Structures are given as C-alpha cells and as structure tokens.
Amino acid sequence: MPNKKKRRIERPTIHPRNRYSENPPDFAALASLYPSFQPFVSCSRDGRRSSIDWTDFNATRELTRVLLHHDHGINWWIPDGQLCPTITNRSNYIHWINDLLSLELFVRSGGGPAEKVRGFDIGTGANCIYPLLGASLYGWSFVGSDVSDVALEWVKWNVDSNSHLVELIEIRKAGDGLPNSGGDVESPPSDWDKNGYHGPPVLVGVVGEDERFEFCMCNPPFFESMEEAGLNPRTACGGTTEEMVCPGGERAFVVRIIEDSVVLKESFRWFTSMIGRKANLKALISKLREAKVTVLKTTEFVQGQTARWGLAWSFMPPNRKAVASLVPEKNNCSFMLEGLPRQCGAIQVLKAVELFFLANCSSCKLDLASFIVSITVSQEHVTAILRDDQFNFDESAISQHNSEAPNNSCSEENMCFRVSVFEQIPGTLLVRGSLSNKNSPISGSFSAVFQHLEEALKKEFTENAIKGAELELMVPAVCPEGQ
C-alpha cells in the first residue's frame, strides 16, 4: 500500500546574507556591552539562554537601538508610540531587493554596472529603517517619504545623527507637491477611489516626472483599524494610526501602489512591497497581470514565528537574454476548469489551447486521439504571450496563423511542452502541461506561459459559463452549437 504521508515542506529560512542567519543576536553579550539593555534581558538558570519580553515596547526598542549601533554603526532612536522595526526582518527585505537588482533582467540605459543605486521608501516612518539599512549595507541612496510631521522630525534626527550616511538620504513630505522636475506628473485616474484607499499621495504626486529610481519599497499599513492591529498579544512593536491603518487595509494600499506604478512605469526599475497576509497575494498578483507587468516576483521573509511576503514587479522591457537566464520552477503544471456546460468538453478545450498559441504564431500539433497539443515556442513567442492579455478564440485564426507559424523543431533554443486535457467528472476538466526539454535556455518561462494559458481558458470557459446561455453566442468556434 503506497505511503500516503504528506511530504514535509521546508519552510523558507532567513536570507543567507542576513548577518543573523547563522549567528542570532546574543542578548546576554549585548547586555554586557550596553548597560541600558541589561534590565530587559532575562537569563535561564544555567545561563545558557537569554531572552527579552517581546510584549514590552521598551525592550524591543532598546534591542533595535543596540543592534543598529553594534552591528551596523547606526545611531538611532524613536519616541514612544512610533513603529519599532525588527532588524532581522527588515534586513531580509533589503537583501532581497539586492537580489532583484543583481538579476540584470533589463537593458540598462546607461551608467554600466557601477551605476549608483537610488531607492524610494514609501512611508519611511520615524524609524527610517530601510534608508538607514540600505545605505549602511550597500551604500544605496534613498528618498524617504512620509505624511506625519512627528515622523519626519524624527527621521531628520535619525539621519542627522549618522554623519556617514546623511548625504545618502533625502526626506520628502508626501502631499507637499512635487520636486523640481521640469514637468508635470500625470494625475491619477478618476476611478482610483474605488479600491478603498482615500489617503495622501503614495507615488504619483510625490515622485517627479524626470526622477529615476532603481526600486521603491514599502512596509504598508497592514490593518483597517487600530482594534484589528491590537489583536496580536505576543508582540509590542508600537505604531501610529498613520503607520498601521488605512481604509481597505494593506490590499487597498498596495493596489494604489500598483495603480501609481502604471503611471510611473518608466520611473522605477522595480516596484516592491512587503505583504503581511498571504491571502492578499493572489488578488494583488491578478491586479498586476491586469496591469500587464513584464516581470513579477514573490518571496517569503521569515523571522522566528513571523512570516511576511515580498511582492515585486516591473514594466521595463526585458533583456533578450533575460528569459534565457531563468531556471524552470516546475516541469509540470496543472489546473482545473470547473462548472463547464455539457457541450464544452475536452476537445473544445484542446482546440482553444491550440488557438491560444497559434495567436502568437507558435508551432502547434493537435492530436485529438490522445487529447494532447504539442507546442514549440521561441523566445519571441514567449515575449508575445507574456505581453498580450487579450485573446480572441476565433477558429478563423487557425488557417491564418497556420500559414504564418514556422514549423519549429524542438531544438535547444526553443521551449517544447505538451498540454493534455482529462475529464474528471462531468463539467470538470484537468488541464496539465509537461515541459519536454527542461534544459532549454528559455525553459524558465514555462510556468509563466502556462499561467497565462490558465487565465485565458478560465476567462473563456468558466467566467462565460456563469453567464449561462450566452456562451455559445460569444465563442461559436470553441463551443459550436450541437457538439
């Protein structure tokens, strides 16, 4: 009898370049060096373990101050009530951004590899933690924005207290107008208030038209109310209403960043944000695909029992070798089509798969006997598929594209895979993709291509099926009447 035990999934670990990945802070040792930290440290009877009370704001603030001074040479302080950052988690975010910058997915406009990195911190807070860490760890320059006068006052104090970093960090009040940039920035679309965010400017209205940044980053307000923010009794990191709360919570705030990024797509190489709830990732990723981003990345940040997620995207045109440098995440992908009308079976879906790839002049071979479509795509085809979110499932396109599509062999330069369709139960089909040549230089795009196929088929079949009898009129070639 086969072993049905679930495979244990290894949880992501702290970033390998994080200085605390192999050597966590020794509270007892730090207390011996910093007498002000001593009252907050408790030691076990045998003296081997030391800890602090994580529900004590004064303890977490003093720990942050001590770690920044001891390990990073940074002088730092915040008043009571302001958000106190955890150094380990914030360092993970900084190191991940450095990973993104190191990918070199995009063609540089100038300056070469030694070009100085300039970042933008959305809502830097009184702690100014990201500019301080980024400047200290990598020598990056920053613009940090905030709306609170108290926060901006303490940001200035924290920056001015570090003479070796002061020239790298500029502070800007959001809502005070644009810097001198030689032009106006496009205004936000009038329907943006529909996403639930009604706060001050985020990027549009804060970033000048002629300004250029390698990235922006953000620790968004995670909650919809201060009552919700206080539901976790195990930590005491402080935080003002401006830092913790916005209508619609973090999803609404990040949606605003996404909408701003559409306007400012040429101003940033990478747009990024930390995400506090994994449930929000799927909705935000769908929003990004609607915005037709060229690259989308996610990661998980781990610190003790706390998990956060990173979301990054870009509109920059990729380097021709960018897709080739990726490693395939999966060799097999699958999804379900559910709630289908009776007349839409495996054959109709297979024909739709064929149309999807023929629309981009890919080479396809449909085998109805085996319920398989064999597909060969080049790098140019991959780029076209990932850029185009509007698919017309029209059978008249078959003859047109059959004459245009080259008969590409499954060579080393091309990516070859098969898509098969299986009926699970009436009205439910399993669509499965299998990568044939995982050593292809463009095989890293397989998962993204298959995800675009999934979105197109679900929109064509599942969403239209909900509309009832209109399906046959809307897609006559895919679901012809009487079949």
Side-chain angles (χ1 to χ4, degrees):
M1 185 175 181
N3 187 355
K4 293 186 178 181
K5 282 187 176 181
K6 291 184 179 180
R7 185 175 62 179
R8 185 175 181 180
I9 300 176
E10 290 189 13
R11 192 179 182 193
T13 58
I14 192 170
H15 194 285
R17 282 199 305 279
N18 193 314
R19 68 178 299 135
Y20 308 111
S21 62
E22 299 294 335
N23 299 294
D26 186 333
F27 296 153
L30 290 170
S32 67
L33 296 173
Y34 295 88
S36 60
F37 186 48
Q38 177 66 56
F40 303 108
V41 177
S42 301
C43 295
S44 61
R45 291 182 178 180
D46 58 10
R48 295 181 180 179
R49 291 180 298 174
S50 56
S51 62
I52 66 170
D53 181 1
W54 295 101
T55 65
D56 183 348
F57 173 81
N58 292 320
T60 57
R61 175 175 56 180
E62 185 63 13
L63 173 63
T64 298
R65 186 191 75 82
V66 166
L67 289 177
L68 285 173
H69 187 270
H70 183 264
D71 296 333
H72 301 279
I74 294 174
N75 296 307
W76 178 91
W77 189 251
I78 55 171
D80 292 351
Q82 299 291 320
L83 182 65
C84 182
T86 51
I87 302 304
T88 308
N89 193 283
R90 301 307 198 270
S91 298
N92 283 339
Y93 193 176
I94 291 288
H95 290 304
W96 181 57
I97 285 183
N98 188 64
D99 291 342
L100 295 174
L101 299 179
S102 300
L103 290 175
E104 297 185 354
L105 292 175
F106 314 109
V107 179
R108 285 186 174 271
S109 58
E115 185 179 358
K116 290 184 178 180
V117 173
R118 189 181 187 215
F120 191 98
D121 182 21
I122 301 170
T124 194
N127 58 69
C128 194
I129 192 63
Y130 290 131
L132 290 171
L133 282 177
S136 173
L137 290 169
Y138 291 108
W140 297 339
S141 65
F142 272 86
V143 171
S145 69
D146 210 288
V147 297
S148 166
D149 290 332
V150 173
L152 291 169
E153 179 182 346
W154 277 95
V155 169
K156 186 178 186 306
W157 186 93
N158 279 315
V159 173
D160 290 346
S161 298
N162 295 277
S163 58
H164 59 301
L165 304 177
V166 69
E167 293 185 1
L168 295 175
I169 301 173
E170 172 193 341
I171 301 304
R172 189 176 296 172
K173 184 172 184 179
D176 267 5
L178 294 169
N180 295 326
S181 58
D184 296 328
V185 172
E186 183 178 344
S187 298
S190 58
D191 62 349
W192 277 9
D193 284 342
K194 294 179 181 179
N195 68 40
Y197 178 78
H198 303 278
V202 176
L203 286 174
V204 171
V206 184
V207 174
E209 181 185 38
D210 295 338
E211 288 191 292
R212 294 294 180 266
F213 297 88
E214 292 296 302
F215 65 90
C216 70
M217 61 192 309
C218 179
N219 192 59
F222 291 148
F223 308 103
E224 296 191 57
S225 68
M226 287 302 286
E227 290 75 16
E228 182 186 3
L231 292 178
N232 186 358
R234 294 178 296 176
T235 61
C237 295
T240 64
T241 301
E242 292 85 355
E243 293 173 308
M244 306 288 283
V245 173
C246 86
E250 71 173 2
R251 182 185 297 190
F253 194 90
V254 178
V255 165
R256 172 51 63 90
I257 298 177
I258 294 172
E259 291 170 330
D260 280 11
S261 74
V262 175
V263 178
L264 297 169
K265 60 177 66 175
E266 301 295 332
S267 299
F268 293 83
R269 194 172 298 273
W270 286 101
F271 297 88
T272 77
S273 180
M274 185 181 287
I275 306 297
R277 295 180 177 179
K278 190 175 183 180
N280 287 332
L281 268 182
K282 186 174 182 180
L284 293 170
I285 288 172
S286 296
K287 184 73 176 178
L288 286 169
R289 296 207 179 279
E290 290 176 12
K292 298 185 179 180
V293 300
T294 58
V295 181
L296 193 157
K297 296 283 186 181
T298 62
T299 192
E300 183 174 354
F301 305 122
V302 173
Q303 180 211 342
Q305 299 300 313
T306 302
R308 294 286 184 265
W309 291 266
L311 180 62
W313 65 96
S314 180
F315 296 93
M316 301 293 289
N319 188 328
R320 285 183 59 85
K321 296 182 180 180
V323 176
S325 67
L326 299 176
V327 177
E329 298 175 0
K330 297 180 180 178
N331 294 330
N332 298 284
C333 298
S334 63
F335 60 88
M336 303 289 286
L337 290 175
E338 300 176 297
L340 301 176
R342 287 183 301 171
Q343 67 269 31
C344 291
I347 291 178
Q348 284 71 37
V349 173
L350 282 167
K351 289 182 178 179
V353 171
E354 182 187 33
L355 285 170
F356 176 89
F357 289 102
L358 285 176
N360 293 287
C361 297
S362 303
S363 175
C364 298
K365 183 179 180 181
L366 175 61
D367 185 349
L368 291 177
S370 301
F371 292 92
I372 291 174
V373 183
S374 299
I375 300 123
T376 300
V377 296
S378 66
Q379 181 172 319
E380 288 72 21
H381 299 148
V382 169
T383 302
I385 290 169
L386 298 184
R387 278 182 172 274
D388 186 12
D389 285 338
Q390 302 297 324
F391 306 104
N392 179 20
F393 289 93
D394 184 354
E395 194 166 335
S396 63
I398 290 182
S399 57
Q400 174 186 349
H401 287 296
N402 273 341
S403 61
E404 297 177 4
N407 185 20
N408 292 328
S409 61
C410 193
S411 62
E412 293 182 357
E413 292 77 17
N414 296 324
M415 178 171 66
C416 304
F417 54 96
R418 300 192 304 175
V419 177
S420 52
V421 180
F422 307 90
E423 184 174 34
Q424 301 293 293
I425 58 175
T428 300
L429 299 175
L430 172 66
V431 182
R432 178 179 296 164
S434 301
L435 185 62
S436 302
N437 59 339
K438 62 182 180 180
N439 293 325
S440 164
I442 60 172
S443 61
S445 61
F446 173 62
S447 295
V449 168
F450 197 77
Q451 187 170 8
H452 272 60
L453 173 65
E454 176 183 359
E455 293 172 357
L457 292 179
K458 285 185 174 180
K459 182 176 181 180
E460 190 68 15
F461 288 95
T462 307
E463 293 182 13
N464 288 343
I466 295 175
K467 298 177 183 179
E470 292 181 330
L471 178 64
E472 293 182 359
L473 297 175
M474 295 176 66
V475 202
V478 177
C479 299
E481 187 174 357
Q483 286 195 13

